[in-house]
Amino acid sequence: MSRETLNPSNIILPGSLLGVMGGGQLGRMFALEAIRQGYMVAVFDPDPNSPAGQIAHQHLCAPYTDPEALDEFGDACAAVTTEFENVPAESLRRLATLTRVAPGADALEVAQDRRVEKTFFSKAGIDTVRWQAIENEADVAAAVAEVGEQSIIKTATLGYDGKGQRVCSGADEVRTAFLELGAVPCVLEQRVDLAAEISVVAARNDNGEIACYPPGENVHRNGILHSTVVPAQATTARLEEAQDCAVRLLEALNYVGVLALEFFIAKDGQMLANEMAPRPHNSGHYTQDACASSQFDQQVRALCNMPLGDPRVQGAAGMLNLLGDAWAEGDPDWPAVLAQAESTLHLYGKAEARDGRKMGHINVVSQDQAGVRACLAEVSKAMKITP
Ligand code: ATP
Ligand code: MG
């Protein structure tokens, strides 16, 4: 009997096996949430010691393109989601012939290539930075003429945490950076004079129901997210506009699952979309402790065709990322960290603490932003992280 005849409404009930492509921390937090709700979890990740693989019921350890492994996974799982945007689209298409896959390959393909992504944003009425594609050295001069002297060059595909990008001034630096990046297809972006960065996390299910979290205000260091505070400091109109953009994007993609949309707010007041992530996002981790339904809870619900949960935040919240750097002198002083009553520790089970590696995060909930910032400062001090 097929799953459809067993389950005419297509709802996937607790007890079913849910699959996740990728075994990083986002997969781990999805698995924890799914397990809390009574599901079984299978992780697909080539790394035998992945953060999610450690805690899942099943761990299929194979390359993301292995056809037999994909078929085995698709046969076993009642539905499959993904925790990183670079899962090969062809692998998701193969899985989709065997099981429910959400989000689908089409949405991932948009996020996998910055050129496709920015073009899609514009079509959906979402403003982006000025940009130009650079495919070979001959494109550099025209791109700089369009974008301006102050720019950032980024590889069109496979970048994350600020990797695969270079800040440039003028055409000569762009040319050098393009060659340093391996002369692969790139985008050249106008370098925005940033007043702030915000992001919106939102979920959508098959019925078109949407749950949108309040935008978070993000601070990056060395291209990596450092902290998030909610509510973001911006006008109500601005915050609503950011949420409207996320809703338009979900609808334009006919998206099912959780998605994040990152924005730059320029000093001249413009709000410009940077990029999307077709999955829960580091800037949405605060929802684990500040909302009735976290971004991972919504990921489970959307995947299983369930009604979405409540995305409202009571008071204010924040998140501090714990990078491997904080382990430089051995294990952090956990009792000092946990002494902060408004904070919650989340660690990802990574054995080796390398500089810049995301080891965990600390969430903070408080009555207002001032309370959140004060607690984040205390937690940073306990972690010996410069606030
Ligand atoms: P992540 O995976 O962490 O989101 P990423 O590698 O995809 O990172 P981006 O989001 O494109 O990279 O850039 C990382 C950070 O670098 C941004 O959040 C921002 O702080 C800065 N940055 C990137 N592009 C620009 C730009 N055009 N103008 C100004 N700052 C930028
Ligand atoms: Mg980003």
Side-chain angles (χ1 to χ4, degrees), residues 282-300:
N282 197 165
S283 69
H285 289 353
Y286 76 86
T287 63
Q288 292 173 307
D289 295 295
C291 302
S293 177
S294 74
Q295 59 172 350
F296 302 103
D297 177 61
Q298 308 280 25
Q299 188 181 19
V300 175

Side-chain angles (χ1 to χ4, degrees), residues 220 262 274-275 281:
H220 289 81
E262 299 176 2
N274 173 25
E275 59 172 359
H281 194 253

Side-chain angles (χ1 to χ4, degrees), residues 113 129 169 243:
D113 188 319
V129 292
S169 301
Q243 289 182 312

Side-chain angles (χ1 to χ4, degrees), residues 357-373:
R357 189 176 200 207
K358 290 176 180 168
M359 302 296 288
H361 66 273
I362 291 173
N363 285 336
V364 165
V365 286
S366 193
Q367 270 171 346
D368 51 26
Q369 283 151 312
V372 167
R373 289 186 197 280

Side-chain angles (χ1 to χ4, degrees), residues 343-384:
S343 71
T344 322
L345 176 64
H346 299 254
L347 289 175
Y348 309 146
K350 296 183 184 178
E352 198 195 335
R354 289 191 297 272
D355 279 4
R357 189 176 200 207
K358 290 176 180 168
M359 302 296 288
H361 66 273
I362 291 173
N363 285 336
V364 165
V365 286
S366 193
Q367 270 171 346
D368 51 26
Q369 283 151 312
V372 167
R373 289 186 197 280
C375 187
L376 283 175
E378 287 303 317
V379 167
S380 301
K381 203 166 109 195
M383 283 296 302
K384 299 197 178 84

Side-chain angles (χ1 to χ4, degrees), residues 250-272:
L250 286 166
E251 286 172 347
L253 290 164
N254 195 23
Y255 194 87
V256 175
V258 172
L259 169 152
L261 182 54
E262 299 176 2
F263 295 93
F264 300 134
I265 298 183
K267 290 212 172 114
D268 67 7
Q270 273 189 300
M271 185 170 76
L272 304 163

